[in-house]
Amino acid sequence: MPSGPDNTHVIVFANEKGGTGKSTTAVHVAIALAAKGARVACLDLDHRQRTVGRYLDNRAQTIKRKGAALPMPVYATHDGHTPERFEELWNQLIDGADYFVIDTPGRDDPFARLAAQRADTLVTPMNDSFVDFDLIGQVDPETFKVTHPSFYAELIWDARKARARADGATIDWVVLRNRLQHIEARNMRRVQEALMQLAKRVGFRLIPGLGERVVYRELFPAGLTLLDSRFFGEMGLGHVAARQELREMMAALSLPEPQLPMFADHAAAGIVAA
């Protein structure tokens, strides 16, 4: 099924394992794109946790409370049950957007699978461990060589085939290594080598994500991101390093530039989809 209008790039964050920084990464990507003046829409498919929805609720309140012209996507949260509501929100949010960012639950979910099939860029964040690696591939316990892909890699393969049948398009699958340790470790090297092996077999790109930093959790109550530094007061070294991580991640995602004119006023409006 086609992802949407030719001028909308659909970015789906999906991982059936929780605790990978998926929602935090999705919010930062959405705000980073909106900060450039792009028209960004967000759909939160996790009606239980609703992390992206709550994050942007907090941001909307900060905008209202401080009168701040912060970049702000339009957004909504799905009810988790109704196909009709899913299609309604999808069509409502994608209309006129340069980028459409979807956050999915950290569990198997039919709407997450549907969103994956419509993705232009599919981002799977994972922590730097074999516990997380097991979702996409399995390794020999002695040599740590990849033995075969796991169920989730097969699920993405099926999504790619479905997308190709629907409109001939390809899905750019990106595995994003969040919470990387900042010191060299044997396990880190082994995970890296296994990921590189698997990337060649199943066809994903491997890029660095966001580190394990307290700053990301501190920003949530106000709905702020690392791009809103003027609200921090004095920036510490952790803030500076984290912001550089975000810049590097955005560059590595290699998202296309919007085809339509950018409207900064729209990006900063803080309109919430009904």
Side-chain angles (χ1 to χ4, degrees), residues 125-185:
M126 61 170 283
N127 296 325
D128 205 46
S129 75
F130 280 111
V131 174
D132 279 27
F133 181 88
D134 192 66
L135 181 78
I136 58 174
Q138 296 183 15
V139 297
D140 183 279
E142 295 183 359
T143 65
F144 295 98
K145 299 293 184 182
V146 175
T147 56
H148 57 273
S150 293
F151 77 96
Y152 192 73
E154 295 172 355
L155 186 151
I156 301 305
W157 176 254
D158 290 341
R160 285 170 142 175
K161 289 192 295 183
R163 178 67 187 279
R165 287 194 300 267
D167 62 4
T170 58
I171 297 174
D172 180 21
W173 186 17
V174 179
V175 173
L176 187 146
R177 297 175 74 191
N178 269 344
R179 295 170 176 161
L180 287 171
Q181 299 298 313
H182 299 289
I183 57 174
E184 184 70 8

Side-chain angles (χ1 to χ4, degrees), residues 64-122:
K64 182 178 180 181
R65 185 172 62 253
K66 294 183 175 291
L70 296 176
M72 183 73 186
V74 297
Y75 67 102
T77 300
H78 184 233
D79 61 16
H81 303 289
T82 315
E84 293 79 12
R85 182 59 174 159
F86 174 85
E87 296 296 343
E88 178 186 3
L89 289 175
W90 186 283
N91 293 328
Q92 176 184 348
L93 290 167
I94 203 170
D95 185 31
D98 296 316
Y99 301 97
F100 187 18
V101 178
I102 297 97
D103 187 38
T104 63
R107 59 184 182 275
D108 186 23
D109 178 85
F111 299 107
R113 294 191 180 209
L114 185 57
Q117 292 177 14
R118 301 182 183 187
D120 296 307
T121 299
L122 178 65

